[in-house]
């Protein structure tokens, strides 16, 4: 009997089985790449959360209550501190002109690096120069990332709210106790340990409790550095223990990376730090501007990978060549990225192949642009979710007199600092409250929200992961380096705009803007916006008044530098940390350094007009709060 040809289904199954066998060794690598790229996006997006325009400022009394304990740990310099001032976060807004500038400058930079490589004929020379340049920014970026990670870990161990025995507890750091406020309050007892949940049942001595309360207060016990140079500089910075640890880790990382060995994990640490910091300080301003910029970079990435082939020698392309005597044609972007040993990419070890040189470790690469560029839109989507959350909590009060306009009453904004760790200790894995009743507290107030719906954020993350999976599939099917933005941009943009279309919120998304509209002060003057910097600057050109106490400088002072330690370190310091974290932590529970008196960012000139949606306050009026 003659052999029959396999059916179409059998052929398809056989092809799929062969393809799976071929890609199976790389599945852990791809999973590593997906998780590693999501880490800086997720963390930075939550760290960028601030008060949206649809939420009211916290009342003066609530702000004072949160800052009360922290203020005890500050000096009384009235020139530097303003209890009524709302902290602001520095952010750079993008404008429509960046639609052209981004691809243009990216192309110029890439071409310049390639021609420098050809001219120098030694990639190590250019790598050393670039690494020295990146080391300056890398120090601050790694310090910020490490200190924020430590703050997250600390907030998980010492949350402000937790559940024990069906009762919701609020931790009072100043009093050194946790008090039941909701749920099974009758059977709940006052707890004298800062440990949350079941950990509170651990038998501890007074000395151990004292040490735990002091450790809970540790992040807020900061050293204050003051610097003054007449008519040039005046300001102060505050440095805590976590910041010092981050600085040590950053310095050790840069020394080892530049002087010993450029391992993949140190390259990734620097890459994570750059991506984490960039997503926090850059905003697309509007969804229209962000989408247009992504589309422009979409075509740029395609052109640089598919239409810019160059003759690549092993000297300039060491990761792609097997021997020292061969040359090949390689995309310009791939040539530059693989030739330079600088932290502009993430590297992931993968199993060697038959073409891998003996003793050389193979690695998959993902450019930082493939994380930062989509991450800007994903961060914008999360802030839009927060905007919608408070928009739906607004109440419209009908006018009492004829011809008057209705009044929109906004819900008071609750800082999102530490909410993730609070949610972890108060809710089940399915998101249900662990205390028996979710009713208002005994004093009649509602419990502050632990989280908010993240519809657009989750949709954009799904689109991003789908784009990465499509990139990996195309890489194997075409056997050719892939421009990741070719798949990531459609994945993110289609997921966002399709979600808005299904929910009927296209107009809301289109008109949403993060451009700042200046607010007037009570005295009728415009609020002053200053650029954030390491030291909080004063008006060094102002005429100095005679010294009248601690709040004034000596009249003959020309130069001074001082270091002040924390005033108190003890069990009562827990309240200080609690008050400080309320005002200084980011939405994901990480602590944003309070050493900088930052300001709002200003968006593009093209979006200067305020936008109104449904009669509520313009979305463009948005102060960024830490």
């Amino acid at each position: 009997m003659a052999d029959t040809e396999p059916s179409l289904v059998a052929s398809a199954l056989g092809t799929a089985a062969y393809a799976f066998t071929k890609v199976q060794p790389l599945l852990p690598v791809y999973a590593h790449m997906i998780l590693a790229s999501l880490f800086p996006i997720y963390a930075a997006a939550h760290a960028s959360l601030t008060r949206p325009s649809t939420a009211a400022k916290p009342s003066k009394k609530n702000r004072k209550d949160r800052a009360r304990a922290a203020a005890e740990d500050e000096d009384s310099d009235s020139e530097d501190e303003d209890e009524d001032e709302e902290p602001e976060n520095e952010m750079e807004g993008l404008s429509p002109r960046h639609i052209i500038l981004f691809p243009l400058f990216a192309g110029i930079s890439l071409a310049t690096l390639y021609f420098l490589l050809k001219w120098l004929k030694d990639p190590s020379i250019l790598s050393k120069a670039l690494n020295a340049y990146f080391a300056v920014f890398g120090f601050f970026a790694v310090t910020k990332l490490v200190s924020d990670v430590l703050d997250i870990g600390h907030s998980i161990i010492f949350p402000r709210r937790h559940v024990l025995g069906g009762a919701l507890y609020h931790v009072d750091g100043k009093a050194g106790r946790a008090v039941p406020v909701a749920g099974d309050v009758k059977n709940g007892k006052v707890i004298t340990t800062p440990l949350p949940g079941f950990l509170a049942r651990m038998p501890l001595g007074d000395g151990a409790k004292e040490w735990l309360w002091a450790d809970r207060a540790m992040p807020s016990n900061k050293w204050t550095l003051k610097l003054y140079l007449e008519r040039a500089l005046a300001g102060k910075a505050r440095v805590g223990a976590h910041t010092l640890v981050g600085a040590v880790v950053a310095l050790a990382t840069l020394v080892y990376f530049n002087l010993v060995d450029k391992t993949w994990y140190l390259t990734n640490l620097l890459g994570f730090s750059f991506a984490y910091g960039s997503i926090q300080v850059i905003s697309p301003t509007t969804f229209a501007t962000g989408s247009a910029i992504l589309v422009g970079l979409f075509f740029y990435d395609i052109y640089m990978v598919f239409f810019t082939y160059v003759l690549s020698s092993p000297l300039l392309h060491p990761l792609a060549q097997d021997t020292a005597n061969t040359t090949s044609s390689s995309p310009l972007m791939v040539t530059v990225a693989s030739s330079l040993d600088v932290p502009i990419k993430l590297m992931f070890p993968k199993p060697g192949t038959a073409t891998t040189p003996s003793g050389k470790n193979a690695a998959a690469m993902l450019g930082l642009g493939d994380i930062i560029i989509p991450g800007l839109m994903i961060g914008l989507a999360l802030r839009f979710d927060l905007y919608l959350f408070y928009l739906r909590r607004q109440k419209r009060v009908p006018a009492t007199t004829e011809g008057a306009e209705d009044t929109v009453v906004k819900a008071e904004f609750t800082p999102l600092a530490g909410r993730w760790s609070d949610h972890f200790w108060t809710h089940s894995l399915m998101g249900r409250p662990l205390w028996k009743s979710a009713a208002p507290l005994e004093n009649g107030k509602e419990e502050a929200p632990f989280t908010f719906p993240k519809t657009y954020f989750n949709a954009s993350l799904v689109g991003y992961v789908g784009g990465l999976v499509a990139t990996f599939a195309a890489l194997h099917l075409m056997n050719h380096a892939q421009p990741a933005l070719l798949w990531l941009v459609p994945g993110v943009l289609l997921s966002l705009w399709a979600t808005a279309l299904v929910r009927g919120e296209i107009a809301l998304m289109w008109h949403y803007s993060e451009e700042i509209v200046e607010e007037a002060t009570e005295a009728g003057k415009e609020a002053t916006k200053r650029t954030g910097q390491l030291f909080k600057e004063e008006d060094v050109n102002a005429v100095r008044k005679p010294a009248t106490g601690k709040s004034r400088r000596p009249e003959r002072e020309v130069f001074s530098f001082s270091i002040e330690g924390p005033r108190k370190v003890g069990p009562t310091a827990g309240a200080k940390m609690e008050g400080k974290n309320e005002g200084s932590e980011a939405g994901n529970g990480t602590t944003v350094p309070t050493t900088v008196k930052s300001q709002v960012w200003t968006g593009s000139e093209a979006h200067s007009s305020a936008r109104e949606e449904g009669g509520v306050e313009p979305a463009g009026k948005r102060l960024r709060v830490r």
Side-chain angles (χ1 to χ4, degrees), residues 303-314:
Y303 178 77
M304 287 299 175
V305 173
F306 286 141
F307 299 100
T308 55
Y309 276 84
V310 296
L311 190 62
S312 179
S313 68

Side-chain angles (χ1 to χ4, degrees), residues 124-249:
S124 63
I125 298 176
L126 187 56
S127 294
K128 290 178 181 178
L130 290 175
N131 281 323
Y133 171 78
F134 284 119
V136 178
F137 301 99
F139 176 79
F140 295 101
V142 175
T143 299
K144 177 71 166 58
L145 176 64
V146 173
S147 63
D148 283 0
V149 169
L150 292 176
D151 285 328
I152 293 175
H154 193 274
S155 67
I156 293 176
I157 300 174
F158 299 111
R160 289 189 299 275
R161 296 180 287 182
H162 63 87
V163 171
L164 179 63
L168 175 65
Y169 282 81
H170 281 192
V171 181
D172 185 349
K174 184 175 182 180
R177 62 180 185 176
V179 182
V181 296
D184 191 7
V185 178
K186 295 182 178 179
N187 296 325
K189 299 180 180 179
V190 175
I191 301 173
T192 58
T193 173
L195 295 178
F198 67 92
L199 297 177
R201 302 183 187 274
M202 297 174 56
L204 298 172
D206 293 340
K209 292 180 181 178
E210 188 85 3
W211 181 85
L212 287 173
W213 283 111
D215 185 58
R216 184 180 188 274
M218 180 265 297
S220 66
N221 295 328
K222 298 179 181 292
W223 294 75
T224 303
L225 311 180
K226 293 185 176 182
L227 177 64
Y228 176 78
L229 181 61
E230 187 175 21
R231 304 250 177 216
L233 176 66
K236 70 178 182 179
R238 305 190 69 233
V239 179
H242 289 170
T243 306
L244 293 177
V245 173
V248 171
V249 173

